[in-house]
Amino acid sequence: MLKVILAADKDTQDYLWTIFHSMGRMSEINRLTWQDIDFDERTIILYTRKKRGGHLTPRKVPMTERLFDILSYRFKHREKRIPWVFWHRYWSRKTKEWIEGRYIDRKKIMETLCKKAGVKYFRYHALRHCGASLLDNANIPIGSIQRFLGHENRQTTEIYLHSIGNSEKEMIGVLDADFQKSTPQSPPQIKKAFN
């Protein structure tokens, strides 16, 4: 996963780290606006549809230090007229004009990055699986992991965990600490990515 993230440009790295550190779904991160971020409280609100055609359901997610740094930097350098954290400018074949808007789908990026990094193709959801497994390996209660992932039922969370064996602040510490632990032996570009 790290090879794939490091193969990306800065904007895409921010996007991938945001998925990993918030354990958000691609659609939730694509919907993320600056109004959904509370830098003082260090939380973000992610919205998802629990049922097809249903309304968006919010969940509050605490930020890791890494996520706080990424979002703070992006906020400082944002285009003030654009409400989304991750957006793009694209040519609409339908309307024959340039449009600025949030991402709807970014599936092809992962294919390209996996190929560039020389690793077997995986999807964005693998970042959620990885984060959930790290928390599980650190003995974080499955109920806390379930809430963090935004799952309605425990069985869905168990599927995410590679092995089923305190609080949200402990989870954030685990995510930050696990990557900080692995960086001293890592090459300089990997250290830089985690710091």
Side-chain angles (χ1 to χ4, degrees):
M1 284 188 196
L2 187 56
K3 281 183 181 182
V4 169
I5 293 171
L6 293 176
D9 60 63
K10 168 78 169 98
D11 186 62
T12 306
Q13 282 186 13
D14 287 354
Y15 182 78
L16 296 173
W17 283 125
T18 300
I19 289 173
F20 176 80
H21 284 279
S22 69
M23 286 194 238
R25 297 167 180 92
M26 178 180 61
S27 60
E28 293 172 333
I29 302 307
N30 290 347
R31 279 189 203 98
L32 189 63
T33 68
W34 292 115
Q35 288 183 328
D36 301 326
I37 299 170
D38 186 332
F39 288 106
D40 294 330
E41 206 178 293
R42 290 185 177 236
T43 60
I44 61 175
I45 304 290
L46 297 177
Y47 293 88
T48 195
R49 286 189 207 290
K50 295 291 185 179
K51 294 172 180 52
R52 203 173 274 209
H55 65 283
L56 290 172
T57 305
R59 84 173 182 284
K60 189 183 281 192
V61 176
M63 284 190 245
T64 63
E65 277 302 312
R66 176 80 173 139
L67 183 55
F68 179 81
D69 292 344
I70 289 167
L71 295 177
S72 295
Y73 179 85
R74 292 186 71 86
F75 183 76
K76 183 177 176 184
H77 296 91
R78 76 191 184 283
E79 184 72 45
K80 290 185 174 129
R81 62 189 171 73
I82 304 291
W84 300 284
V85 176
F86 297 100
W87 62 279
H88 63 142
R89 188 170 190 254
Y90 63 97
W91 179 256
S92 170
R93 292 183 207 156
K94 190 176 184 178
T95 63
K96 306 289 187 226
E97 63 184 341
W98 286 100
I99 295 176
E100 293 174 336
R102 72 178 183 90
Y103 288 101
I104 303 300
D105 195 337
R106 297 188 81 179
K107 290 180 183 173
K108 291 188 180 186
I109 289 175
M110 289 306 285
E111 288 178 36
T112 304
L113 289 175
C114 287
K115 190 174 187 177
K116 185 176 175 182
V119 301
K120 185 178 175 184
Y121 170 70
F122 63 88
R123 298 178 184 189
Y124 293 104
H125 239 58
L127 298 169
R128 281 171 53 89
H129 283 265
C130 179
S133 293
L134 287 172
L135 295 175
D136 184 50
N137 289 338
N139 297 317
I140 300 298
I142 195 166
S144 294
I145 299 170
Q146 178 185 339
R147 285 190 302 279
F148 198 64
L149 290 169
H151 290 155
E152 283 189 346
N153 88 47
R154 184 183 176 112
Q155 287 179 321
T156 307
T157 305
E158 289 173 354
I159 292 168
Y160 271 65
L161 304 176
H162 294 136
S163 61
I164 306 299
N166 301 321
S167 72
E168 271 76 7
K169 286 187 180 182
E170 280 182 85
M171 288 192 301
I172 299 310
V174 167
L175 290 174
D176 279 332
D178 197 67
F179 280 103
Q180 294 302 326
K181 270 193 303 191
S182 65
T183 56
Q185 311 87 344
S186 304
Q189 76 268 25
I190 294 175
K191 282 186 191 178
K192 187 177 175 188
F194 287 119
N195 294 322

